[in-house]
Amino acid sequence: MTSIIPARTAPSRVRPLPRPSGPGSAARTVPAPLAPRARLLPSLAAVYRAQLSRARVARIPLLFVATFQSVGIMVLMRGVVDGGAEARAVVAGSSVLVVAFVALNLLAQYFGQLRAGGGLDHYATLPVPPAAVVLGAAGAYASFTVPGTVFTTITGSVLFQLPMTHLWILVAVIPLSGAALAGLGAALGLLAPRPELATLLGQLGMSAALLLGVLPADRLPGPVGWARDLLPSTYGVEALARSFDDRPDWGMIGFFLAICAVVGVLSLAVATWAYRRAAVR
């Protein structure tokens, strides 16, 4: 026979919530703590690795085009220039042209397309400083130029029979010239209203680096020489060209590298400001 006596249930272990005490305590909320903002160096390293892995597929064609262009210019100039200061200017200008092709031209196109396609919105939502985005992309693009620049310099030295004793100066010339040209390219791409205009400005900047960097300074007329002094890659070309002397003037080489470093800092600062300006629009 089924029992109709209800079974004894276990005592509940749920404790009642304490009631708020005091006036206005029911509407009081405690804000959740926010995560700390990412620091510059870790953010810079993350953006640099991301850009480097993204462009890894296009690295071989990119290096081939930039290097083949500079080597072809030196071969053409070999029939006109025999040696001396003209040969040093041709080799130095052609070597830095590899940096200009990537850091100035391609970076201007990249940021122009990134702005037009809404890619800046993705970076704007990340808790990273704007300087990390600009410096990371600029450093990744400038890193592609190292093998091509070294190969171009060695090939030009053999072609024009220049000494290769002080080619270690490329350790300073490549990053300083790359920073100055990358900052200029990023600023052009971010400030251009359309990606087509960014591509045009990048091409014009690379053409200026070609014409004003490869030709000797004393062969240029006055107004063109002034434009050459305004080009960031000029000081890297001058430092590399003077390193081919039998007795290099290290004081002047250090002076040109210092100018290149200052121009690089200024151009990257302008690019960071342009990124902030483009990201909020």
Side-chain angles (χ1 to χ4, degrees):
M1 184 175 180
T2 306
S3 175
I4 61 174
I5 300 176
R8 184 176 300 176
T9 59
S12 177
R13 296 175 179 264
V14 179
R15 297 181 179 179
L17 296 176
R19 295 183 179 181
S21 60
S25 59
R28 184 182 303 170
T29 58
V30 179
L34 298 177
R37 187 176 180 85
R39 293 176 296 177
L40 177 62
L41 293 181
S43 302
L44 175 61
V47 174
Y48 175 81
R49 290 193 300 266
Q51 292 292 336
L52 203 63
S53 61
R54 178 176 300 177
R56 186 176 300 172
V57 179
R59 177 184 300 180
I60 296 178
L62 183 66
L63 289 176
F64 176 78
V65 171
T67 307
F68 180 79
Q69 174 183 252
S70 296
V71 173
I73 290 172
M74 291 190 300
V75 172
L76 291 176
M77 296 297 292
R78 184 64 180 86
V80 181
V81 177
D82 294 331
E86 291 81 4
R88 293 192 290 268
V90 169
V91 175
S94 300
S95 301
V96 179
L97 182 62
V98 180
V99 184
F101 179 82
V102 179
L104 175 59
N105 183 23
L106 295 182
L107 196 60
Q109 298 180 25
Y110 170 74
F111 273 107
Q113 296 174 359
L114 194 68
R115 179 186 178 186
L120 292 180
D121 298 336
H122 167 71
Y123 286 105
T125 57
L126 299 178
V128 296
V133 179
V134 176
L135 293 177
Y141 273 75
S143 298
F144 295 147
T145 66
V146 175
T149 305
V150 173
F151 178 80
T152 302
T153 307
I154 296 176
T155 304
S157 300
V158 174
L159 191 63
F160 289 92
Q161 298 179 357
L162 297 176
M164 293 185 287
T165 307
H166 306 294
L167 288 188
W168 54 265
I169 197 67
L170 291 174
V171 177
V173 171
I174 293 177
L176 294 179
S177 300
L181 293 172
L184 179 60
L188 292 176
L190 291 169
L191 294 176
R194 295 192 304 272
E196 296 82 6
L197 186 57
T199 302
L200 176 61
L201 293 176
Q203 291 284 348
L204 291 176
M206 189 194 65
S207 301
L210 168 61
L211 297 176
L212 302 179
V214 175
L215 298 177
D218 55 355
R219 299 292 184 88
L220 300 176
V224 180
W226 299 338
R228 184 177 184 271
D229 295 337
L230 297 176
L231 193 64
S233 60
T234 299
Y235 306 100
V237 172
E238 289 291 337
L240 181 59
R242 291 174 183 268
S243 67
F244 291 118
D245 295 338
D246 295 332
R247 295 181 177 179
D249 188 355
W250 296 111
M252 289 301 299
I253 292 176
F255 173 72
F256 285 123
L257 291 177
I259 295 178
C260 195
V262 172
V263 174
V265 172
L266 293 177
S267 62
L268 289 173
V270 173
T272 303
W273 169 82
Y275 169 79
R276 290 172 177 167
R277 179 176 177 270
V280 298
R281 289 191 173 186

